């Protein structure tokens, strides 16, 4: 696997995650079915955290909920840690 593949995964996951955050924000405003927080965290964990962070800033969604933010930042650390480990072990080629 190459860095290009990793970056492509991040891009795709981030776009999807941003769109899910936007849909959830809209649902919150219109009293409709909401996306589970565990789904939002799973998307962040799988590489969508840059899109999630962008959505939190732009849409101001889930950005002030302390419990959500704690788990979100754990998902970021875990994701970055795994990618760092993959790079260090040579499983991802630079």
């Amino acid at each position: 696997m190459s860095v290009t593949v990793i970056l492509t995964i991040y891009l795709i996951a981030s776009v999807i995650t941003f769109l899910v955050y936007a849909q959830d924000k809209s649902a919150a405003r219109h009293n409709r079915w909401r996306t589970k927080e565990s789904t939002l965290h799973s998307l962040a964990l799988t590489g969508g955290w840059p899109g999630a962070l962008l959505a939190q800033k732009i849409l101001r969604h889930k950005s002030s909920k302390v419990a959500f933010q704690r788990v979100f930042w754990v998902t970021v650390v875990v994701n970055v840690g795994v990618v760092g480990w993959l790079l260090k072990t040579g499983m991802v080629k630079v």
Side-chain angles (χ1 to χ4, degrees):
M1 186 180 304
S2 70
V3 171
T4 304
V5 171
I6 297 292
L7 292 175
T8 301
I9 291 169
Y10 270 87
L11 178 63
I12 293 168
S14 290
V15 169
I16 291 168
T17 303
F18 185 93
L19 293 173
V20 171
Y21 267 75
Q23 181 276 328
D24 190 50
K25 177 73 173 194
S26 176
R29 287 184 171 169
H30 296 100
N31 201 24
R32 294 190 321 246
W33 176 83
R34 301 286 307 277
T35 304
K36 292 180 181 179
E37 287 187 354
S38 61
T39 300
L40 297 175
H41 290 312
S42 295
L43 289 167
L45 183 62
T46 58
W49 65 265
L53 190 59
L54 190 62
Q56 290 172 21
K57 300 298 180 195
I58 292 173
L59 305 174
R60 295 189 325 175
H61 188 51
K62 300 289 189 183
S63 58
S64 63
K65 192 170 182 185
V66 175
F68 182 89
Q69 286 296 307
R70 283 188 189 129
V71 176
F72 171 73
W73 285 106
V74 168
T75 67
V76 173
V77 169
V78 169
N79 177 268
V80 171
V82 168
V83 171
W85 177 79
L86 290 170
L87 286 165
K88 183 178 178 185
T89 61
M91 295 179 79
V92 173
K93 304 294 181 197
V94 180

